[in-house]
Amino acid sequence: MVLILSLASISAMKLSDLPRYASGTVSAVEAISVGDPIARRLAELGFVPGETVRLVALGPMGGDPILVLVGFTRFALRRSEADRVKLEVEG
């Protein structure tokens, strides 16, 4: 009998720090204040724990906005909005 162990590590990062074409799993959407409307809207759009997110493109010269894929839907987010989305990334 052969036992194979996975040595893949999981690290935490913000969506705004995800490299282009990389994917991660949403672990949380953090509100920066009580009743943060942007954090609430991100959750309503599908940025919920367990959902896979992929960074598709960056704005000019690596700036705003960033284009992310959640399911089959693309969203353009400012980096300040993407900072609220915490991810778990394997690798």
Side-chain angles (χ1 to χ4, degrees), residues 48-84:
V48 294
E51 191 66 44
T52 300
V53 177
R54 181 170 187 238
L55 189 108
V56 177
L58 301 170
M61 297 193 290
D64 281 338
I66 63 171
L67 183 65
V68 297
L69 186 66
V70 178
F72 294 105
T73 307
R74 293 177 182 215
F75 296 99
L77 300 175
R78 294 181 187 101
R79 286 193 177 274
S80 62
E81 296 165 342
D83 280 343
R84 292 172 169 86

Side-chain angles (χ1 to χ4, degrees), residues 20-39:
R20 189 183 312 181
Y21 308 122
S23 297
T25 303
V26 176
S27 59
V29 175
E30 294 183 351
I32 59 172
S33 63
V34 176
D36 182 359
I38 294 172

Side-chain angles (χ1 to χ4, degrees), residues 7-44:
L7 298 177
S9 63
I10 296 178
S11 59
M13 71 171 42
K14 295 185 269 187
L15 175 56
S16 59
D17 295 332
L18 193 65
R20 189 183 312 181
Y21 308 122
S23 297
T25 303
V26 176
S27 59
V29 175
E30 294 183 351
I32 59 172
S33 63
V34 176
D36 182 359
I38 294 172
R40 186 182 71 241
R41 184 67 178 145
L42 288 169
E44 290 169 353

